[in-house]
Amino acid sequence: MKHLLEVNGIHTCFMMDGKKVRAVDGVSFHLDRGEIVGVVGESGSGKSVTMMSVLQLVGAPGFVESGTVYLDGEEKNLLEYDGNSEKMRSVRGGRIGMIFQEPMTSLNPVLTIGYQIQENIMKHLDMDRQQAKERTIEMLRMVKIPDAEQRFDYYPQQFSGGMRQRIMIAMAMSAKPDILIADEATTALDVTTQAQLLEMIRSIAKETNTAVILVTHNLGIVARFAERIYVMYSGSVVETAGTRDIFKHSEHPYTRSLLRAIPRLDDPRDRILIPIEGLPPNPALRPDYCPFYDRCEYRKPECAKRNKPELEKVGEEHYSACWLTREELRQKEIEIQNTPRKAAPQKNIGSEKVLEVKNVRKYFPVLKGIMKRKIGEVKAIEEITFDLHKGETMGIVGESGCGKTTMARCIMRVYRPEEGEIKFSGVDIAQMKDKELQPYRSRIAMIFQDPFSSLDPRQTAGSIVAESLLINKSCKTKEELNRRVDELFTLVGLDPGLKDRVPHEFSGGQRQRLGIARALSSDPDVIICDEPISALDVSIQAQIINLLEELQAKLGVSYLFIAHDLAVVKHISDRVLVMYLGRVVEIADAQQLYANPMHPYTEALLAAVPEADPDVEEGKAAVPISGEVPSILNRPQGCPFHDRCSKASERCRKEVPKLMDKGDGHMVACFLYQ
Amino acid sequence: MEKENTVVQERKEAGYSRREKAVKFFRVLFKRKLVLISAVGLVLIVLMAIFAPLVAPYDPNVQSLMDALKTPSSQYLLGTDNYGRDILSRIIYGARVSLIVGVLAVGIACAIGTFFGMLAGFFGGIVDDVINRISEAIRSIPQIVLAMALCAVFGGGIINLSIILGISNMAVYIRMMRGQVLSIKETDYVMAAKLQGNKSLRLMFKHVLPNCISPIIVQMTLQVGQTILSEAGLSFLGLGISAPTASWGSIVSDGRVYLMQNPFFALAPGVCIALLVIFLNTVGDGVRDALDPRMRGRL
Amino acid sequence: MGRFILKRIGQTLIVLFIVSVFIFLLVSFLPGDPVYAMLGGEITQETYDRWYLELGLDKPLILRYLSWISKAVTGDFGMSASQHKEVVAVLAERVPVTIYLSLLSFFISIPLGILFGIISAVNRGKLLDSVLTTFANVCCCLPQFFLSVLFLYLFSIKLHLLPSFGFVWPWEDLQKSLLQTIMPLLCLTIGGIASICRQTRSSMLEVIGQDYIRTAKSKGLAQNRIIFVHAMKNALIPVITLMGLRLGGLIGGSMFVESVFNIPGMGTLLVMAIQAQDIPLIQACVLLIAVVACVVNIITDIVYAAVDPRIKV
């Protein structure tokens, strides 16, 4: 055997309503010692299930139907052993360690973290309790848990998400495994934490010559960290090659389409995203032919008449599963390049300001005791100042806890700010009472992050969209109302015939369209988009981004676009506002901010974002930021960023820098520029 | 052209319709044989109660002392009681009492409980505190003891008993509804509705309430059984339904003295109570499981 | 922790205050004149007047409540008319019996219930699970009085194995006491085992589906270790609540078993008091049961906080 791990033809099924549904449909891959391999795919592509199948962790109603798993040093196919056999248990944890997606729930809440790591060491390494404890502390130090010795007896809930994921890494690596599988291990974390952790996994892996499998949906992560990549779609590997080949010379239509659909940090201003139309097939209804056929731009009618394509060699270490020959692909590519695309929607930014926010503060009281005595305040946001022009998009970025959502809610007047002005077309609504606010409610709307929780499950799609029309009595007759609802449906690309369905009958992307239609229904001047695409799959994201851009061009509405994905923010925004711990640290033109970030935090943030381009990634240095975003409850004195900033001076520890204009409307709050 | 394509696509993608969902729900529900059997049994008992005069072989209250304490025979299928009344007929009529009290009491408990729970959850503050403490106080007295005390004061009878059992059961609904309202209130869709300018009342009735109901319904189906047990218990102690009205609990109580002469006198109504409650609980559990895919755990 | 306990005690006192007001008001809703209700209709005007003043019926409600509660706190509930004794004396006789039976049943049902629940959850979907859950489901639905009558019929009347009624303390006559307690104890315990078994099973299944159990499996731990170290501790936390409820309920719910087997406990006392409209006795019984339930509640919460590291106190 020449590889460390060889997996062949894994088929994994789930029993759903008495039918066999194949989640993994014949996946093969291999891994060498010390190598970092990426497995990318959208949700439901079967990437996680494949890994669970290798370790026999798939629980009822799922089971591995067939396939072989050979691990270097083991005689037999691992799948021949029972899932609970001594052999499999020594492989799991001992030779293959695994880290899961959810840091908040992956550690047992009633056992100390020390115990949980120690247990793993004692199971797989021949150590007694004391030795295992020493190794545990050593591992905790390795993943940079401060005061490792004391923290041994802490419970998981005493750590932040990032810390918990470090503990998971320590645990997975504690038994000196040959392979580490990181299943979306950093997806739930902030960008800077994510970068630090992946950086750490890489350096530990290289030091110990451990092979790593990075399972993720994020093309940027694999571009930065992986050496070889498997692209999965609907339960199959569709393409595999070295990282550079995947990004620079991708062969499979899916990979190519995917790369055209994602925004990148170095995009020119007018780049158009080309979404992949439609949805991945439901595994239960997957056709016998190529699963990507229905969405493929390159397809030929013959594709539908043949079986599912197998991986074929198309280059050095480069395999692709497509029936089309390279020549056919090349011709089709030219055709696609030449089809006229819709030009980037024309923006019309007016000079009038629709929204002026000045010096807004929002504190939350900390209450205690039966009498609900106020014992302190959480300073959620402070001194927020910015303005928004008609037809403009202002992107708002920052990590979790930076106050983006609080700010949005202040502007929506869900909260009443303690201080400051929120001028809406010149009228200050900051302190208005509910009644006075009524006329302004319809002029400012919101699109929510989660398309599953933001639509009332008991209302039909039609009545969700019609609601504000009814409340504002903007339609005189029933016919007019119906017509207007139909209009809104068509505007966001939904069939008005779906009006009578309830939200759960729609897909995620469709639901988000419904949310947009609802926001548009009152004909608002400003729409606050609170992470509107972060819950969607990559191929769907582009559809929604394009829709938002088109609508803006058509209706002249202004957006406040809140997101943590910096590439998306840059793509859609005219100006970008960066927040850190409740304060604005920088506001600038989108292009300028990315080309010339001034605040050290912005700089660090931009460096931390992995980009789907190995060339760009190679040129990047390691993340210049340490630590995690502190809790808003113990915000440091002075500049909120000073304790993570490499350029902090004595002054930064004492004074809070004010936001200052450095020319061209580039505002920054940092003493380096004063 | 392009638009049309996506529209066709969307139609194809949209999931199950409401009707299909209902069909699927019942398929899942009745897939378990036990649930199906229980549902059939439950329907039979209800029919028996409704058509009691047609089904019962005798008038349940006519005494014939000549025939007192007969063992089962072809004339009296389950024998007679100490007054010579046909036990089978009394059991058939007794089903009415159990079902009426069970349903009525749960209805009352649910109506009052959800109302106060809603108030507590929606307004919070002092209203919440007061309602909470009162519901805690109600919960601190064991339900049967509370019902007994209330019976002592207000007396038995079907209507009184229903109200009393309703009141002593309402705390559960207060707590559940309050929790539901509090969590639903925080959802994005309620905030969205609020931001569109909905007034509080409309918000409450259009968006919050309809989404609170399903766990309440599950709780209700499970509680009918418990209430029937309480009613039988109170009647057994002589505090609930008074003579001569036939109630399963009181028949057991009367019959336990005559276990030697005719064991069916006491045991048959007891079996009936157990069966009815088992049917109700099985169906209730089934409904809960069919509604909640989370319950399908794995190892 | 100290603060937490104090806070819970404070809350409980408020609840008990509401309960006492409620119990007191309840009596003033009693139909008919309280004096006649107590002493019967055939008394002289003189006796009537004396009792009228004695009961304080000439004073406003709130004063009557205050005088009642201030006495009640010191244990003085007045005279029981039906028993012709101080209420406290009656209670002192009856309460220990009920507590003895309840605690016995409690400590038998917990380990058995948890054991069956875990066995059932681990063997989910297999025959053993089906048998256990069916059994538990049926037992939960059996009314205690029916169970008692059934056992009475089977073991006393048909098989002549066990005495059909009575109660003696074990130190008075060990053998008799054992034989007499078997049936009542069985009736009290079966329901408890069944409900704890059900709760343990469902909370075990819930825990087994959690991410951290998957983590434990990915470490290659043995099945037993996963179940008894990783799953059980989490699964038992919700069971604690149920245990508290059971204990409170046992003491307040023993009247069925007591009345079938003729055991002189608090349950039969309450039934008797209600039938005799013996107001002071009813008040004392209900208040006592509420106090016990509240104390059990506090203990449950403290145990809960001690066991679950997620709760910060």
Side-chain angles (χ1 to χ4, degrees):
Chain A
M1 198 168 70
K2 55 185 208 291
H3 300 296
L4 172 62
L5 178 71
E6 266 186 51
V7 175
N8 266 306
I10 294 270
H11 288 81
T12 304
C13 301
F14 285 83
M15 295 303 288
M16 310 258 272
D17 295 333
K19 268 184 291 185
K20 230 163 50 174
V21 174
R22 223 174 241 164
V24 177
D25 195 16
V27 169
S28 308
F29 67 92
H30 65 87
L31 191 64
D32 290 320
R33 239 169 240 287
E35 172 182 47
I36 300 181
V37 163
V39 177
V40 279
E42 297 175 83
S43 61
S45 62
K47 52 195 191 308
S48 293
V49 180
T50 306
M51 297 305 144
M52 306 271 268
S53 305
V54 170
L55 288 178
Q56 295 200 36
L57 282 174
V58 180
F63 59 95
V64 182
E65 200 178 36
S66 62
T68 58
V69 176
Y70 286 101
L71 185 60
D72 189 24
E74 306 293 343
E75 301 279 297
K76 268 166 51 179
N77 170 11
L78 287 180
L79 292 181
E80 281 173 28
Y81 295 102
D82 181 70
N84 285 322
S85 61
E86 185 53 42
K87 176 53 93 197
M88 260 332 277
R89 289 198 282 111
S90 73
V91 169
R92 284 202 298 264
R95 300 206 52 200
I96 307 179
M98 191 156 177
I99 314 168
F100 299 95
Q101 174 167 11
E102 284 299 328
M104 300 321 248
T105 53
S106 289
L107 287 163
N108 194 326
V110 300
L111 299 174
T112 63
I113 56 143
Y115 181 90
Q116 295 185 52
I117 300 177
Q118 196 180 27
E119 179 185 56
N120 193 39
I121 296 171
M122 284 163 70
K123 162 87 180 96
H124 298 290
L125 301 180
D126 189 22
M127 286 188 176
D128 63 22
R129 188 163 289 277
Q130 192 51 40
Q131 288 169 317
K133 182 169 180 174
E134 278 159 26
R135 179 159 172 83
T136 303
I137 292 169
E138 191 188 310
M139 294 308 292
L140 288 174
R141 286 209 184 101
M142 182 182 78
V143 295
K144 303 198 178 71
I145 301 280
D147 309 323
E149 248 156 89
Q150 285 90 50
R151 302 284 177 103
F152 184 88
D153 290 322
Y154 279 29
Y155 288 96
Q157 47 281 9
Q158 289 166 285
F159 296 91
S160 69
M163 283 292 179
R164 285 191 213 185
Q165 211 57 313
R166 282 168 199 261
I167 293 163
M168 280 297 290
I169 296 173
M171 188 153 79
M173 294 300 297
S174 64
K176 303 179 180 160
D178 296 319
I179 299 169
L180 176 70
I181 301 175
D183 183 0
E184 298 271 12
T186 56
T187 304
L189 306 171
D190 277 324
V191 208
T192 55
T193 318
Q194 172 178 315
Q196 286 168 25
L197 280 188
L198 288 168
E199 213 65 79
M200 194 171 74
I201 290 178
R202 172 155 68 184
S203 69
I204 293 174
K206 291 298 165 196
E207 262 167 47
T208 54
N209 201 26
T210 310
V212 177
I213 303 177
L214 287 177
V215 180
T216 177
H217 68 276
N218 187 327
L219 285 163
I221 287 178
V222 286
R224 180 182 290 187
F225 295 99
E227 292 149 12
R228 217 149 46 77
I229 291 174
Y230 291 89
V231 181
M232 284 189 70
Y233 184 78
S234 192
S236 313
V237 171
V238 294
E239 185 168 5
T240 171
T243 301
R244 183 167 296 273
D245 281 339
I246 285 283
F247 285 96
K248 296 295 167 190
H249 314 288
S250 49
E251 283 292 332
H252 196 277
Y254 175 63
T255 320
R256 293 188 184 182
S257 309
L258 208 54
L259 288 171
R260 278 200 288 264
I262 53 168
R264 292 172 32 172
L265 275 181
D266 56 354
D267 280 341
R269 172 153 265 168
D270 55 354
R271 154 137 191 242
I272 328 156
L273 303 180
I274 302 166
I276 309 176
E277 294 299 339
L279 288 175
N282 177 341
L285 310 168
R286 190 162 41 214
D288 292 328
Y289 49 83
C290 173
F292 189 58
Y293 175 79
D294 289 330
R295 305 171 74 189
C296 185
E297 285 186 286
Y298 299 80
R299 68 182 167 201
K300 293 203 157 171
E302 298 88 75
C303 297
K305 296 186 188 112
R306 307 176 73 167
N307 294 338
K308 200 184 83 171
E310 296 297 326
L311 287 176
E312 296 278 348
K313 187 161 183 161
V314 291
E316 190 65 29
E317 290 285 302
H318 192 158
Y319 298 82
S320 166
C322 181
W323 286 123
L324 299 175
T325 60
R326 291 190 111 175
E327 188 49 35
E328 283 171 318
L329 275 173
R330 205 179 56 81
Q331 278 177 5
K332 207 69 180 172
E333 183 76 45
I334 296 169
E335 238 175 82
I336 291 169
Q337 296 293 348
N338 290 339
T339 37
R341 296 275 169 192
K342 266 186 281 178
Q346 210 52 47
K347 286 206 174 199
N348 254 321
I349 301 179
S351 56
E352 55 189 297
K353 292 177 179 174
V354 281
L355 184 69
E356 288 167 86
V357 176
K358 227 182 252 165
N359 222 3
V360 165
R361 277 196 306 133
K362 176 70 200 165
Y363 292 175
F364 291 105
V366 180
L367 304 175
K368 203 166 183 186
I370 312 169
M371 304 306 295
K372 309 246 162 74
R373 226 161 6 101
K374 188 172 145 184
I375 56 158
E377 279 177 328
V378 182
K379 298 174 177 172
I381 50 172
E382 284 191 300
E383 295 177 34
I384 303 288
T385 304
F386 69 93
D387 47 30
L388 180 67
H389 294 267
K390 186 171 164 42
E392 184 188 33
T393 302
M394 167 82 93
I396 294 169
V397 292
E399 292 174 280
S400 54
C402 74
K404 306 178 290 230
T405 304
T406 308
M407 185 183 81
R409 291 183 174 194
C410 280
I411 296 170
M412 291 300 292
R413 278 305 314 280
V414 177
Y415 300 145
R416 205 179 63 163
E418 257 68 49
E419 195 186 282
E421 288 174 15
I422 298 171
K423 273 198 186 152
F424 193 71
S425 309
V427 186
D428 186 7
I429 61 166
Q431 304 296 329
M432 278 189 180
K433 296 204 180 62
D434 269 355
K435 259 228 171 78
E436 301 168 307
L437 269 172
Q438 211 64 22
Y440 296 95
R441 288 265 188 239
S442 65
R443 299 182 52 194
I444 183 159
M446 188 154 175
I447 299 170
F448 293 82
Q449 170 173 19
D450 184 355
F452 287 85
S453 71
S454 62
L455 301 173
D456 187 340
R458 301 253 158 194
Q459 306 269 318
T460 62
S463 65
I464 286 172
V465 174
E467 180 147 37
S468 92
L469 298 173
L470 282 172
I471 291 170
N472 297 315
K473 302 195 177 61
S474 41
C475 296
K476 285 180 193 69
T477 60
K478 205 154 180 209
E479 287 73 49
E480 198 187 332
L481 181 77
N482 278 334
R483 205 167 51 237
R484 178 83 183 115
V485 171
D486 287 0
E487 232 174 78
L488 285 163
F489 267 70
T490 337
L491 198 57
V492 296
L494 284 174
D495 174 9
L498 299 173
K499 270 199 303 195
D500 294 326
R501 304 224 162 161
V502 289
H504 67 248
E505 298 173 38
F506 291 89
S507 70
Q510 287 177 317
R511 280 159 167 256
Q512 206 52 300
R513 285 171 195 266
L514 262 182
I516 295 172
R518 171 176 62 190
L520 288 174
S521 64
S522 62
D523 212 355
D525 301 327
V526 177
I527 298 183
I528 297 181
C529 311
D530 189 359
E531 305 254 11
I533 57 161
S534 62
L536 304 174
D537 261 326
V538 186
S539 67
I540 312 294
Q541 286 187 352
Q543 299 175 8
I544 300 295
I545 295 173
N546 283 358
L547 176 65
L548 286 171
E549 288 187 317
E550 270 169 43
L551 289 172
Q552 183 166 52
K554 214 181 279 179
L555 306 170
V557 57
S558 312
Y559 292 136
L560 273 181
F561 193 93
I562 302 174
H564 65 268
D565 185 334
L566 281 90
V568 170
V569 170
K570 167 163 183 257
H571 176 85
I572 200 168
S573 308
D574 302 303
R575 282 191 300 150
V576 176
L577 181 155
V578 185
M579 283 182 83
Y580 185 78
L581 276 183
R583 283 179 177 278
V584 178
V585 295
E586 191 164 357
I587 304 179
D589 174 86
Q591 299 293 329
Q592 213 185 343
L593 184 87
Y594 286 83
N596 176 27
M598 290 175 104
H599 198 282
Y601 176 64
T602 317
E603 223 174 308
L605 208 53
L606 288 174
V609 182
E611 278 185 80
D613 187 336
D615 287 346
V616 175
E617 284 302 332
E618 251 166 41
K620 275 190 189 171
V623 195
I625 188 171
S626 61
E628 287 179 43
V629 185
S631 156
I632 193 104
L633 283 166
N634 38 32
R635 187 204 318 250
Q637 286 285 312
C639 173
F641 188 60
H642 80 250
D643 54 356
R644 297 174 73 193
C645 182
S646 54
K647 297 167 186 156
S649 67
E650 201 48 45
R651 190 174 172 202
C652 304
R653 284 178 240 288
K654 289 185 185 127
E655 274 177 66
V656 182
K658 291 266 177 272
L659 201 60
M660 299 247 223
D661 198 332
K662 294 284 133 197
D664 292 345
H666 194 147
M667 319 246 278
V668 61
C670 181
F671 290 127
L672 288 176
Y673 304 97
Q674 286 176 14
Chain B
M1 180 59 205
E2 196 191 329
K3 185 117 282 166
E4 223 159 86
N5 253 337
T6 48
V7 163
V8 172
Q9 182 81 26
E10 316 253 86
R11 275 242 165 94
K12 220 164 64 186
E13 285 152 15
Y16 301 103
S17 76
R18 261 183 202 179
R19 178 115 164 245
E20 283 166 327
K21 276 201 70 102
V23 170
K24 201 173 158 210
F25 171 79
F26 282 110
R27 259 226 322 271
V28 173
L29 181 64
F30 291 134
K31 215 168 91 186
R32 277 157 56 187
K33 291 283 170 303
L34 270 177
V35 178
L36 184 63
I37 296 170
S38 304
V40 172
L42 199 59
V43 170
L44 285 181
I45 294 180
V46 172
L47 288 178
M48 181 178 92
I50 295 173
F51 297 109
L54 301 178
V55 184
Y58 296 91
D59 184 318
N61 296 325
V62 166
Q63 306 184 354
S64 100
L65 293 174
M66 298 282 291
D67 290 333
L69 292 172
K70 283 265 167 65
T71 46
S73 63
S74 55
Q75 194 189 356
Y76 300 109
L77 280 178
L78 290 174
T80 57
D81 69 2
N82 49 330
Y83 296 109
R85 294 175 293 196
D86 178 39
I87 291 178
L88 180 63
S89 303
R90 287 183 70 72
I91 288 178
I92 291 173
Y93 275 87
R96 290 184 156 185
V97 174
S98 289
L99 287 172
I100 291 175
V101 173
V103 171
L104 209 59
V106 169
I108 291 171
C110 176
I112 305 178
T114 47
F115 176 74
F116 283 109
M118 192 177 81
L119 285 187
F122 199 64
F123 291 106
I126 296 178
V127 181
D128 185 26
D129 281 346
V130 169
I131 292 176
N132 244 335
R133 283 294 105 76
I134 292 177
S135 103
E136 218 175 297
I138 296 175
R139 258 184 292 141
S140 75
I141 308 176
Q143 193 232 326
I144 192 80
V145 176
L146 180 63
M148 280 169 75
L150 289 169
C151 272
V153 175
F154 299 107
I158 290 183
I159 299 299
N160 263 6
L161 207 56
S162 303
I163 296 173
I164 286 166
L165 287 172
I167 290 174
S168 49
N169 270 322
M170 72 183 181
V172 186
Y173 294 96
I174 295 185
R175 195 171 50 164
M176 259 182 108
M177 191 66 184
R178 177 177 174 271
Q180 278 288 312
V181 172
L182 283 181
S183 71
I184 302 278
K185 236 170 67 170
E186 292 307 310
T187 56
D188 285 347
Y189 60 82
V190 171
M191 180 177 330
K194 195 169 161 190
L195 292 179
Q196 285 181 329
N198 272 294
K199 304 226 164 55
S200 306
L201 267 186
R202 190 183 145 91
L203 205 61
M204 190 75 231
F205 285 101
K206 186 129 192 245
H207 297 283
V208 179
L209 262 189
N211 287 295
C212 295
I213 299 174
S214 50
I216 304 269
I217 288 177
V218 170
Q219 175 68 23
M220 280 172 77
T221 57
L222 290 172
Q223 194 132 39
V224 173
Q226 284 309 306
T227 314
I228 287 174
L229 283 183
S230 304
E231 179 273 321
L234 288 172
S235 300
F236 176 84
L237 295 173
L239 296 169
I241 306 299
S242 45
T245 313
S247 152
W248 291 348
S250 57
I251 305 177
V252 177
S253 176
D254 295 340
R256 67 181 151 138
V257 192
Y258 305 103
L259 276 176
M260 304 259 227
Q261 290 86 340
N262 178 11
F264 288 90
F265 185 177
L267 299 183
V271 171
C272 287
I273 300 171
L275 273 183
L276 174 57
V277 178
I278 289 170
F279 290 160
L280 275 167
N281 281 3
T282 313
V283 174
D285 278 344
V287 170
R288 185 191 57 201
D289 291 358
L291 284 177
D292 182 7
R294 248 178 358 112
M295 290 303 289
R296 296 168 200 147
R298 57 212 145 87
L299 181 72
Chain C
M1 193 72 180
R3 284 184 62 95
F4 169 74
I5 296 173
L6 278 181
K7 193 176 144 198
R8 283 296 289 131
I9 291 177
Q11 281 171 349
T12 306
L13 286 179
I14 300 176
V15 167
L16 281 177
F17 165 72
I18 300 174
V19 172
S20 71
V21 170
F22 166 76
I23 292 170
F24 182 79
L25 284 181
L26 199 61
V27 174
S28 46
F29 283 127
L30 267 182
D33 187 295
V35 179
Y36 287 129
M38 214 172 131
L39 304 173
E42 295 155 17
I43 46 168
T44 59
Q45 185 61 34
E46 200 180 316
T47 337
Y48 179 91
D49 291 342
R50 191 159 56 78
W51 275 95
Y52 189 83
L53 293 179
E54 179 104 331
L55 289 173
L57 291 174
D58 53 333
K59 301 199 188 86
L61 209 56
I62 190 149
L63 286 182
R64 268 154 56 201
Y65 170 75
L66 286 177
S67 84
W68 173 72
I69 193 72
S70 57
K71 279 188 190 159
V73 181
T74 63
D76 177 9
F77 286 95
M79 285 290 290
S80 157
S82 60
Q83 305 281 310
H84 308 292
K85 263 197 254 178
E86 289 260 336
V87 168
V88 189
V90 180
L91 285 179
E93 233 170 67
R94 299 290 197 117
V95 172
V97 178
T98 299
I99 290 185
Y100 167 69
L101 285 177
S102 300
L103 286 182
L104 265 185
S105 135
F106 182 67
F107 286 117
I108 293 172
S109 61
I110 286 179
L112 288 179
I114 291 176
L115 184 71
F116 290 144
I118 290 178
I119 291 175
S120 172
V122 171
N123 294 294
R124 184 192 159 83
K126 300 201 185 117
L127 184 67
L128 189 57
D129 175 37
S130 312
V131 171
L132 279 174
T133 39
T134 312
F135 195 68
N137 285 342
V138 169
C139 286
C140 274
C141 303
L142 292 180
Q144 255 179 25
F145 63 85
F146 169 62
L147 210 57
S148 310
V149 172
L150 185 66
F151 284 164
L152 191 71
Y153 176 70
L154 283 180
F155 296 115
S156 295
I157 295 177
K158 278 279 145 181
L159 301 173
H160 301 287
L161 283 178
L162 298 167
S164 61
F165 63 87
F167 177 85
V168 288
W169 289 103
W171 50 85
E172 287 166 355
D173 183 341
L174 186 63
Q175 198 197 350
K176 197 174 167 196
S177 165
L178 277 180
L179 287 177
Q180 278 179 344
T181 24
I182 289 179
M183 275 201 289
L185 206 55
L186 210 57
C187 297
L188 284 173
T189 310
I190 284 180
I193 295 179
S195 64
I196 291 179
C197 169
R198 273 166 57 112
Q199 173 75 55
T200 309
R201 175 179 184 270
S202 75
S203 97
M204 223 20 213
L205 287 180
E206 171 108 31
V207 167
I208 282 168
Q210 297 290 321
D211 288 349
Y212 52 80
I213 296 301
R214 186 181 60 185
T215 308
K217 280 190 210 162
S218 81
K219 289 198 282 189
L221 301 179
Q223 184 84 345
N224 279 341
R225 194 172 175 85
I226 295 178
I227 289 163
F228 289 104
V229 178
H230 285 260
M232 201 167 87
K233 210 173 163 197
N234 282 288
L236 287 190
I237 288 169
V239 180
I240 293 173
T241 318
L242 184 73
M243 290 193 231
L245 280 177
R246 285 294 309 172
L247 188 57
L250 272 172
I251 290 168
S254 57
M255 59 280 284
F256 301 113
V257 172
E258 286 180 11
S259 83
V260 173
F261 296 106
N262 234 331
I263 296 167
M266 205 162 63
T268 33
L269 182 70
L270 180 61
V271 176
M272 232 154 57
I274 288 176
Q275 276 158 353
Q277 298 259 315
D278 188 341
I279 295 159
L281 200 52
I282 298 177
Q283 287 176 327
C285 282
V286 178
L287 193 60
L288 188 68
I289 289 170
V291 170
V292 171
C294 285
V295 171
V296 171
N297 249 341
I298 295 185
I299 296 174
T300 313
D301 281 358
I302 293 172
V303 173
Y304 212 109
V307 174
D308 191 349
R310 277 168 296 193
I311 296 176
K312 270 195 239 139
V313 288

